Amino acid sequence: MSYMEWAVQLSVIFIGLSILVIFLRLVIGPSIEDRIVALDLLSANAIAFIAVYSIQKNTTTFLDVGIIVALLAFLGTVAFAFYLGRRGKQ
């Protein structure tokens, strides 16, 4: 097993563990703001997982999916921020 394969496997384990912790924060989070931050972190970890998977399979086709996920995560975060801003004014 080469160093690169070992690093990719270790990255998959750490990203998977962080996704579990973030999902726990998403479920338990006491406020809506905590849940929004957890959802944003979950999408960032999904992008990291897609990138590591692309390295593992030695292909670049999955990187397009990562870019799309990043765009959707950004738009979702902006929409949630707009919603929270409007909720605070009323």
Side-chain angles (χ1 to χ4, degrees):
M1 183 186 258
S2 72
Y3 176 73
M4 189 66 166
E5 293 171 352
W6 182 78
V8 167
Q9 292 299 324
L10 195 63
S11 298
V12 167
I13 291 170
F14 282 137
I15 292 170
L17 288 175
S18 66
I19 285 175
L20 289 175
V21 172
I22 292 168
F23 188 73
L24 186 67
R25 172 50 65 191
L26 183 66
V27 172
I28 294 175
S31 67
I32 189 77
E33 291 86 6
D34 290 331
R35 290 186 170 107
I36 291 171
V37 170
L39 194 62
D40 195 36
L41 278 173
L42 196 63
S43 63
N45 278 339
I47 295 165
F49 187 77
I50 290 170
V52 169
Y53 185 76
S54 178
I55 291 170
Q56 186 179 25
K57 295 300 177 185
N58 202 16
T59 183
T60 60
T61 56
F62 297 110
L63 295 178
D64 295 335
V65 176
I67 292 171
I68 292 170
V69 169
L71 179 64
L72 291 175
F74 172 73
L75 291 176
T77 303
V78 170
F80 278 131
F82 182 75
Y83 167 73
L84 290 177
R86 300 278 285 190
R87 187 181 71 160
K89 290 181 182 178
Q90 295 176 353

